Amino acid sequence: MRKTKPLYEGKAKILWETDSPGRMVQEFKDDATAFNGVKHEIISGKGVLNNRISSHFFTLLNEAGVTTHFVEKLSDSEMLVDRLEMLPIEVVVRNVAAGSMVKRLGIEAGRRFDPPIVEYYLKDDGLNDPILSEEHVTALGLATHELLAEIRTAAIKVNDILTDFLDERGIRLVDFKLEFGLKDGCLVLGDEISPDTCRFHDKTSDRIMDKDRFRQDLGGFIEAYNEVLDRVSS
Ligand code: TMP
Ligand code: ASP
């Protein structure tokens, strides 16, 4: 298998076409961005850490019966994935109030949600990824009722699996973002699952172990990502 040409470059990853039909290489970059790209830094080592952490999570999910695009880890910063037709929706699952939800609704950070809350956002940087109701998703033709129900079920299953796995390793899964696509008409989990796309808090100290360290200028960014990798691979 050989990389042929870059198909898509995002803020944190590059997707490469390959000479293997239906397969792509997902390369993780060292770029860290926040606030829709307004804050941007290169953090050496971030790509390698996110590739390793994401590879662990996707392997766990594949083994638990969730259909994901992950095939195998190829190198330090690259994984082989199935090519999907991506849905322009960011699916966020929240177990604990944090981030934009706290700002939008004026609620206290740290409030627990049981059952968890599933939210949908339109993946459109020009519009600043606005939040969508389920009716928006279906009325805009982004997904049918049936597909949306499948997305929701898959997101909750991912949450159950990751919450238990991380809990055993002393990490509270506060919230996370997923992106799905279709392959041969079937729903498949794509993108990445990393401290860039999740909020991880240490269960005992409440220490932040995710991209909020960058968003809030807390320092200790690479140390936190390294610690997530250590715990996830233990
Ligand atoms: P939020 O609180 O900013 O809406 O973020 C919710 C979760 O989604 C959090 O774990 C971070 C993740 N996320 C992304 O992966 N990409 C994004 O562009 C945003 C805004 C959030
Ligand atoms: N990923 C988004 C950006 O690059 C926002 C975020 O994760 O906070 O701006």
Side-chain angles (χ1 to χ4, degrees):
M1 199 277 310
R2 210 172 47 83
K3 287 195 296 197
T4 46
K5 60 170 190 212
L7 277 179
Y8 169 80
E9 177 155 5
K11 290 187 280 247
K13 296 185 294 294
I14 304 173
L15 286 169
W16 296 83
E17 196 174 70
T18 71
D19 57 6
S20 169
R23 293 270 160 91
M24 297 195 302
V25 170
Q26 176 161 268
E27 178 185 349
F28 289 76
K29 304 195 292 182
D30 283 340
D31 298 66
T33 67
F35 315 118
N36 202 6
V38 171
K39 185 173 158 80
H40 178 212
E41 274 174 40
I42 305 291
I43 302 183
S44 178
K46 182 179 83 96
V48 170
L49 285 163
N50 277 353
N51 185 41
R52 290 195 178 144
I53 295 165
S54 266
S55 296
H56 273 286
F57 285 139
F58 279 128
T59 302
L60 176 76
L61 294 173
N62 280 343
E63 286 170 1
V66 177
T67 310
T68 83
H69 69 158
F70 178 77
V71 179
E72 60 177 334
K73 184 171 169 291
L74 289 177
S75 70
D76 268 356
S77 62
E78 296 167 316
M79 58 169 66
L80 185 65
V81 296
D82 284 324
R83 186 167 182 171
L84 310 180
E85 198 186 307
M86 294 306 290
L87 300 167
I89 305 172
E90 300 196 347
V91 180
V92 170
V93 181
R94 300 184 187 270
N95 297 303
V96 180
S100 68
M101 187 194 200
V102 165
K103 283 202 195 111
R104 185 181 307 114
L105 301 180
I107 57 175
E108 208 182 315
R111 182 162 154 187
R112 309 271 174 132
F113 302 115
D114 189 12
I117 294 173
V118 181
E119 296 174 341
Y120 309 95
Y121 294 82
L122 180 66
K123 194 172 162 69
D124 185 330
D125 282 344
L127 295 176
N128 221 353
D129 295 350
I131 193 164
L132 301 168
S133 70
E134 295 203 358
E135 284 83 356
H136 286 131
V137 174
T138 51
L140 299 182
L142 304 175
T144 61
H145 280 292
E146 293 71 25
L147 184 59
L148 192 55
E150 236 188 289
I151 291 171
R152 197 191 156 78
T153 302
I156 294 289
K157 182 168 179 179
V158 170
N159 186 46
D160 288 345
I161 296 164
L162 295 185
T163 296
D164 287 353
F165 177 83
L166 289 163
D167 184 70
E168 285 165 14
R169 288 155 181 82
I171 295 174
R172 185 184 311 118
L173 180 58
V174 171
D175 58 30
F176 59 95
K177 184 262 301 179
L178 301 175
E179 293 183 32
F180 292 89
L182 297 174
K183 190 187 172 215
D184 304 326
C186 295
L187 186 72
V188 180
L189 177 61
D191 196 50
E192 66 177 288
I193 306 174
S194 74
D196 273 16
T197 61
C198 303
R199 286 196 171 92
F200 298 133
H201 292 179
D202 181 81
K203 252 170 56 184
T204 42
S205 68
D206 290 328
R207 191 163 45 88
I208 293 170
M209 304 170 73
D210 56 61
K211 201 167 98 174
D212 273 349
R213 299 208 75 84
F214 170 75
R215 295 188 187 98
Q216 299 172 25
D217 287 320
L218 299 175
F221 179 92
I222 283 292
E223 293 78 0
Y225 278 45
N226 258 313
E227 177 145 7
V228 170
L229 175 64
D230 280 351
R231 295 206 205 172
V232 163
S233 29
S234 70

